Amino acid sequence: MSKNQSDIAYEFLRQKLLNRELLPGTKVRYGPLGTEIGMSATPVREAIGRLASEGLVELVPQSGAIVKQPTRSDALEVFELREAIEPFAVAKASQLIGVRQLKAMQTTIDAMQAILNEVSAGSTTGTQNATPFDQADLKFHITILESVDNRRMLKAIGDLHLLTEIIGAARHTYDADILEMTIEDHMAILDGLKLRDADAASKAMVTHIRNSRQITLSQMSSPIFPLTN
């Protein structure tokens, strides 16, 4: 079934969020976005309505749509949901995932390691590589979900990861320690999957989510974040 203009606009805007082209607090303008995509403002407005229902943008009276500025409560809810769903998903994936998917996950780790090497060598900064690092991270997690072949779970976790990236757009310093810890967490998850060890893969996923939550909450003490609980 072909996608309508609203679907196209929706996916276009989600990608902009992932690419950090629309940061928290940014006003989303219907007309200019429609021009950029090549369509009227109406399907863009419909797409933004969908993003608002998913908690990614806020519709503010007399101001229009604004990319959601995450609070501590938002972060806690996202990580609680991820911890409830993803360990189950990876345990199931350990019995279903194929060799091609395992290789794809290793490729994402290799890409993340290359970024870490550049940061460690001082040739670039973690912040400069935030988008490709996040894209590799997302691909790693989505590959797990694709192997489970559960479309509803894929959509739910995909949305949670997008919220995680929106939160991360403001909180990550992307120093070498954070990059290295994320890579080590991913390697532990992949090792569990390769061994078809559901318990090991699940425990590694829990550790990864909790590590990410700890970093996020510690960095959300910055005054750029609302301290809503």
Side-chain angles (χ1 to χ4, degrees), residues 34-87:
T35 300
E36 186 177 352
I37 305 171
M39 60 181 63
S40 71
T42 299
V44 174
R45 186 177 291 106
E46 293 171 353
I48 289 173
R50 289 174 63 183
L51 293 172
S53 70
E54 294 170 357
L56 300 174
V57 302
E58 293 179 303
L59 300 177
V60 182
Q62 300 180 344
S63 295
I66 297 174
V67 179
K68 185 173 177 61
Q69 178 71 58
T71 65
R72 291 179 65 87
S73 291
D74 293 323
L76 284 168
E77 288 177 1
V78 167
F79 285 110
E80 283 176 358
L81 284 168
R82 285 186 57 189
E83 189 170 332
I85 299 173
E86 288 193 74

Side-chain angles (χ1 to χ4, degrees), residues 111-137:
M112 297 166 87
Q113 184 64 51
I115 291 172
L116 172 59
N117 293 343
E118 290 180 2
V119 173
S120 299
S123 57
T124 185
T125 67
T127 302
Q128 289 173 324
N129 280 305
T131 295
F133 193 89
D134 284 345
Q135 288 172 339
D137 177 88

